[in-house]
Structures are given as C-alpha cells and as structure tokens.
Amino acid sequence: MIQIIGIKGIPIIKPGDKIAEIIYNSIQNQSPLEDEDIIVIAQSIISRAEGRVVNWTKINPTPEAIKLGKELDKDPRIVSLILNESVSISRKGHGKLIVELESGIVCANAGIDRSNSGGINLVTLLPEDPDKSAKQIKEKIKQLSGLDIGIIISDTHGRPFRNGAINVALGISGFENGILSYVGKKDLFNYELESSIINIVDELASAAELIMGESDEAIPVVLIRGYKYKIGNDTSKSLIREKKFDLFR
Amino acid sequence: MIQIIGIKGIPIIKPGDKIAEIIYNSIQNQSPLEDEDIIVIAQSIISRAEGRVVNWTKINPTPEAIKLGKELDKDPRIVSLILNESVSISRKGHGKLIVELESGIVCANAGIDRSNSGGINLVTLLPEDPDKSAKQIKEKIKQLSGLDIGIIISDTHGRPFRNGAINVALGISGFENGILSYVGKKDLFNYELESSIINIVDELASAAELIMGESDEAIPVVLIRGYKYKIGNDTSKSLIREKKFDLFR
C-alpha cells in the first residue's frame, strides 16, 4: 500500500526562508519521516523561497511582447516575462504561449503563475534550477534526519490532446531512475516487453496533486510513503524527450 | 490521507469472464469496499474479458499497411490493425504511429499492445467503449454492494515532450467531473484563479499505476481510498481536448 499524506501547517513561505527546515519540521510534527519516503513539493513555495517572484505591473514590455500580447489578447508585461524565461516559442493561441525553456521543458507561459504568488501584482517564475533546489533540500533533510528520501519539485502542466493539467516533476533528487524501464522484463505470459517505459516521478507528482489542490488548500508539501524505488542520482534531464525523438516539436 | 491499495489474486482474465464479480470478490477478500472508493482497472483485463484480443500473425495486411510498415520498420500486420482502429494518423516516426481514435484520444499505435495480451501471437485492442465498460462494472458493483464507487479504466500512454508513459483514464464512471476546475476560486492570497483546471481522473490513474507495474506484477486492479470527489455521470469525453482548442493537432 502507498500512502499519500498532505503535510499541514506549512506557513506562507517568504523569500529567504529556510525551506528544507520548515518542511522537515512540519513533517516531523505530523508523521515523522521514514527511510525511502518521498516528499513532493509544489514549485510555488520553492519559487517564493528562492525569491523568484516578480511584480509584473512594473515590467516594461519589449516591442515583440507588445505585438504578441495584442495577437493573444494577453498582457504584454506578462508576455515579456514569458519570453524572457524561454528559449523558443513552440505554439501560440487561445491566449497561451507554449514555449521551450532552457531545461528542455515545453510548457504553457513558461510556468509563470499568478496564483499563490503572494499578491495580485506578483507572479512566480519557475525555480532557476529545480534539480539543484531538490538536491539542496534532500541533503539538508539527510543532515537533519540521517534518512535517505526522494524529493520531487512539481508543477501542474497542460498537455496536448487532453483537457486538464496534471502535476509533473520539474526537479528531482534521490532517485536512481525517474523513468522506470520494463524493457526486457517478462510479462505475465512470459512475453519479453519491448517498449514499456514509465515516468514514475511524473506519476508520483500526479498522485501528490490529488491532495495538494490548487487554490487555498495550503498543502504545498505531500509525503508519499510505501512506494518502492531505488535511491540514486538521476536528474530531471532524463524526463525530457530529446527534440530528435519528439514527433511534436 | 489517500491510500493506494493493490488488489491481489485477480486471476488471468479470459474472454467472457464476469469481470465485475471477479474484481468485487477480490476486493472483498482483501479490503472490503467503502463508499466513495475508486477502482482503477488496467485496460488489458477489460480488453481480454471483452474478447478484444486478436492473433496478429493471421492478419492479411493492406497495401497501405505494407508501405507504412516498411517506412517505420514495423510489422505490416500490426500496422494494419492500428490503421483499422484509427480515424487518422497524427504523426509517424521512430517505429510509432501516433493516431487519433474515434473517441478523440490521440495515442501511439492505437493502444494496441503485445504485452499481457495472453500469448506471443496475440495483441489486445482497446475496449470498444471504455465508458460503457466502466459503467457496467460500476452498476454491477452497486448491485452487489449497495455502494457508490468510481471506476477508471486506465492505460499507459506516451506524451509529447516527455520521456516515459504515464497512466491515463480511458473510460470513467461515477464521477461528477473528471476535470476539476478551480477557476473563480480564490488562492491563498485571495487572488481569483483564472486558469487552474486539473485532470483528476488522469492523476488517479497515474497514482494507481505506481502499484500496478507493467510486467508480471499481476496487479491490474488498484483501489484508491480517501480521495474526496463528487459522484456523478461524467464521461471520458470531457477529458479530451477538442481539435479546435488543441495547438498540437
């Protein structure tokens, strides 16, 4: 059995807050950590802790952003911020810019979010290096507890073809593999599998979102207990399909 | 807390098996059903129960399938089956055909699967009407237990941009909404959310996959307990982005 536990009592995170300690103490108060637990953390609180918060009303939009903003009926100051975070535009329409980030992640509006940013004039940008943020938290918790735990920094992203965003892993630390390959294993009928490869960290992020919610639930940290995985040093790079293998870029 | 419980002891399902009764009895033997439980069922056993199993070695491929098979280095008999299940081809390459099904689902190889099909010469096709299959199971279990439970028939699908498939909801029954909209709700800071819409049934399917596995785990049925949702009559239609709103079709 896997348990998905929402961690209560996480305070409003401010720039510079010691997020690993805050998360660790909140967990210890509620359901003390065990070896191989997994902690899923919403990107919004990492971004706030790391000061990745911008007052979008003070942005002076570029001419390109003004032009695109008109085309998409979108505030040019927000468009300016999106373009600044992106390496290329993949698609545009329906008030959205689908862009590629430096990490290779393709997502709407560069993950820039007006919700839970801390104020009506504020937006959060994605953490600059989500794997690094995850690793720092993992190491701090190891230091505090002596335990090896997996960390996932998650964000809800839309997808082609399907309505409704799902939570995905932006940054990871502590996993041998974010992707679990069954290739070469046998199925129930002894048939050798040829192509079954599962993105387990995205599935863990989605499982956590069921408890996080999106509005004022204030559950940005979720503990997953009982999922068997191998401890290691994989990064989010393995989660991103290279352009040359992607039929949709 | 949400619990994700793998249901043990599901036998190998054969065409014509009474799948609802088998699932119900297995659950009762292990962790008796409670109101608002959710049962996630792997497509493979629904397909086998419904006789959606084909001996692919006996297919006489069409000329189009032979041509495409050469182009993709893929067995033309399998290609023939894929084309037969599809209304259009979205992309092709890397040995895959990304196709659109009549339901609007876009997926690789029409969901035709050689793994866990029951034999080396067999493949499973997706259930003809996964919502109908889910509804029948829901109603039978209601009849047997008197309880309202949600049913998700799931399958692992790849996505653009990201490596590793994730489990998604092919068919649903018993949910008021497969997609949870937070639009109009307030965030932590009283900001009214504009665009947060979450595909909760896909997330539930992904959570279940963490226990199902893909090879010989033989856990095609997973119970999710403790997730709050509203009972209703939504279908998988709501999960599929209409072509006119999709920037990637």
Side-chain angles (χ1 to χ4, degrees), chain A residues 116 162 187 203 209 241, chain B residues 116 159 187 202-203 209:
Chain A
N116 287 320
R162 290 183 82 74
D187 75 1
E203 293 192 324
E209 205 283 329
R241 182 169 289 150
Chain B
N116 287 320
R159 297 161 290 174
D187 75 359
D202 276 357
E203 293 191 325
E209 205 284 328

Side-chain angles (χ1 to χ4, degrees), chain A residues 2 4 91 115-116 159 161-163 165 167 169 187-188 193 197 199 202-203 209 239 241 246-247, chain B residues 2 4 91 115-116 159 161-163 165 167 169 187-188 193 197 199 202-203 209 239 241 246-247:
Chain A
I2 298 172
I4 308 173
R91 299 285 193 285
S115 68
N116 287 320
R159 298 161 290 174
F161 321 139
R162 290 183 82 74
N163 286 325
N167 218 18
D187 75 1
L188 264 177
L193 299 174
I197 300 176
N199 190 320
D202 276 357
E203 293 192 324
E209 205 283 329
L239 312 178
R241 182 169 289 150
D246 199 326
L247 296 169
Chain B
I2 297 173
I4 308 173
R91 300 285 193 285
S115 68
N116 287 320
R159 297 161 290 174
F161 322 138
R162 290 183 81 75
N163 285 325
N167 218 19
D187 75 359
L188 264 177
L193 299 173
I197 299 176
N199 190 319
D202 276 357
E203 293 191 325
E209 205 284 328
L239 312 177
R241 182 170 289 149
D246 198 326
L247 297 168

Side-chain angles (χ1 to χ4, degrees), chain B residues 84-103:
Chain B
N84 200 44
E85 293 292 305
S86 309
V87 293
S88 67
I89 297 175
S90 168
R91 300 285 193 285
K92 53 187 178 179
H94 307 303
K96 284 191 192 78
L97 277 165
I98 315 294
V99 297
E100 183 170 336
L101 310 180
E102 205 165 323
S103 60

Side-chain angles (χ1 to χ4, degrees), chain A residues 1-6 12-13 48 90-94 96 98 104-107 113-120 156-170 179 182 185-194 196-207 209-218 224 227 236-249, chain B residues 1-6 12-13 48 90-94 96 98 104-107 113-120 156-170 179 182 185-194 196-207 209-218 224 227 236-249:
Chain A
M1 184 176 66
I2 298 172
Q3 296 177 317
I4 308 173
I5 303 161
I12 304 288
I13 301 294
R48 290 211 303 273
S90 169
R91 299 285 193 285
K92 54 187 177 179
H94 306 304
K96 284 191 191 78
I98 315 294
I105 285 179
V106 178
C107 67
D113 204 344
R114 288 178 67 178
S115 68
N116 287 320
S117 58
I120 191 83
T156 52
H157 285 182
R159 298 161 290 174
F161 321 139
R162 290 183 82 74
N163 286 325
I166 54 170
N167 218 18
V168 299
L170 275 189
I179 307 282
Y182 290 87
K185 291 195 177 179
K186 301 288 178 71
D187 75 1
L188 264 177
F189 305 95
N190 214 32
Y191 164 68
E192 191 170 306
L193 299 174
E194 289 170 344
S196 294
I197 300 176
I198 304 292
N199 190 320
I200 56 161
V201 288
D202 276 357
E203 293 192 324
L204 287 161
S206 276
E209 205 283 329
L210 293 165
I211 280 198
M212 281 179 178
E214 286 293 307
S215 47
D216 58 356
E217 291 89 346
I224 299 183
Y227 178 69
S236 64
K237 292 277 173 254
S238 70
L239 312 178
I240 294 163
R241 182 169 289 150
E242 281 184 71
K243 210 165 194 165
K244 64 181 174 187
F245 296 120
D246 199 326
L247 296 169
F248 290 87
R249 289 213 219 174
Chain B
M1 184 177 67
I2 297 173
Q3 295 177 316
I4 308 173
I5 302 161
I12 303 289
I13 301 294
R48 290 212 303 274
S90 168
R91 300 285 193 285
K92 53 187 178 179
H94 307 303
K96 284 191 192 78
I98 315 294
I105 285 178
V106 179
C107 67
D113 204 344
R114 288 179 66 179
S115 68
N116 287 320
S117 58
I120 191 84
T156 51
H157 286 181
R159 297 161 290 174
F161 322 138
R162 290 183 81 75
N163 285 325
I166 54 170
N167 218 19
V168 298
L170 274 189
I179 307 282
Y182 291 85
K185 291 195 178 178
K186 301 288 178 68
D187 75 359
L188 264 177
F189 305 96
N190 214 31
Y191 165 68
E192 190 171 306
L193 299 173
E194 288 168 347
S196 294
I197 299 176
I198 304 294
N199 190 319
I200 56 162
V201 288
D202 276 357
E203 293 191 325
L204 287 161
S206 276
E209 205 284 328
L210 293 165
I211 279 198
M212 282 180 178
E214 287 294 305
S215 48
D216 59 356
E217 291 88 345
I224 298 183
Y227 178 69
S236 65
K237 291 279 173 254
S238 71
L239 312 177
I240 294 163
R241 182 170 289 149
E242 281 185 73
K243 211 167 193 163
K244 65 181 171 186
F245 296 120
D246 198 326
L247 297 168
F248 291 88
R249 292 214 216 172

Side-chain angles (χ1 to χ4, degrees), chain A residues 25 48 57 63 78 83 104 128 136 163 171 193 234 241 243:
Chain A
N25 290 331
R48 290 211 303 273
T57 65
I78 299 280
L83 295 178
E128 268 188 282
Q136 285 170 345
N163 286 325
L193 299 174
D234 197 10
R241 182 169 289 150
K243 210 165 194 165

Side-chain angles (χ1 to χ4, degrees), chain B residues 3-246:
Chain B
Q3 295 177 316
I4 308 173
I5 302 161
I7 300 303
K8 286 165 194 158
I10 303 280
I12 303 289
I13 301 294
K14 299 177 301 299
D17 275 354
K18 291 186 173 178
I19 193 139
E21 284 88 335
I22 292 170
I23 290 171
Y24 176 69
N25 291 331
S26 300
I27 293 173
Q28 292 311 97
N29 285 338
Q30 184 178 336
S31 188
L33 270 180
E34 298 174 9
D35 237 345
E36 293 188 35
D37 278 352
I38 295 163
I39 305 174
V40 184
I41 308 165
Q43 155 272 329
S44 57
I45 67 166
I46 303 289
S47 293
R48 290 212 303 274
E50 295 180 353
R52 297 276 290 162
V53 178
V54 174
N55 185 329
W56 63 274
T57 65
K58 292 188 176 165
I59 300 290
N60 198 1
T62 62
E64 191 193 359
I66 293 170
K67 187 170 163 283
L68 263 173
K70 273 188 190 141
E71 198 183 322
L72 292 167
D73 193 21
K74 199 171 178 68
D75 194 295
R77 297 167 292 185
I78 299 281
V79 174
S80 225
L81 274 172
I82 294 168
L83 294 178
N84 200 44
E85 293 292 305
S86 309
V87 293
S88 67
I89 297 175
S90 168
R91 300 285 193 285
K92 53 187 178 179
H94 307 303
K96 284 191 192 78
L97 277 165
I98 315 294
V99 297
E100 183 170 336
L101 310 180
E102 205 165 323
S103 60
I105 285 178
V106 179
C107 67
N109 302 332
I112 291 175
D113 204 344
R114 288 179 66 179
S115 68
N116 287 320
S117 58
I120 191 84
N121 293 338
L122 303 179
V123 292
T124 52
L125 315 180
L126 293 186
E128 268 188 282
D129 184 344
D131 284 328
K132 190 177 160 193
S133 310
K135 193 159 186 257
Q136 284 169 346
I137 294 169
K138 180 190 164 45
E139 284 173 357
K140 187 72 197 171
I141 290 180
K142 171 95 184 182
Q143 191 187 315
L144 292 166
S145 66
L147 298 174
D148 266 310
I149 40 98
I151 301 281
I152 297 172
I153 294 173
S154 73
D155 194 15
T156 51
H157 286 181
R159 297 161 290 174
F161 322 138
R162 290 183 81 75
N163 285 325
I166 54 170
N167 218 19
V168 298
L170 274 189
I172 61 174
S173 183
F175 295 89
E176 183 178 290
N177 295 297
I179 307 282
L180 209 59
S181 174
Y182 291 85
V183 174
K185 291 195 178 178
K186 301 288 178 68
D187 75 359
L188 264 177
F189 305 96
N190 214 31
Y191 165 68
E192 190 171 306
L193 299 173
E194 288 168 347
S195 64
S196 294
I197 299 176
I198 304 294
N199 190 319
I200 56 162
V201 288
D202 276 357
E203 293 191 325
L204 287 161
S206 276
E209 205 284 328
L210 293 165
I211 279 198
M212 282 180 178
E214 287 294 305
S215 48
D216 59 356
E217 291 88 345
I219 310 276
V221 177
V222 168
L223 190 63
I224 298 183
R225 179 164 288 161
Y227 178 69
K228 303 279 172 224
Y229 65 101
K230 285 192 182 149
I231 295 166
N233 298 307
D234 198 9
T235 72
S236 65
K237 291 279 173 254
S238 71
L239 312 177
I240 294 163
R241 182 170 289 149
E242 281 185 73
K243 211 167 193 163
K244 65 181 171 186
F245 296 120
D246 198 326

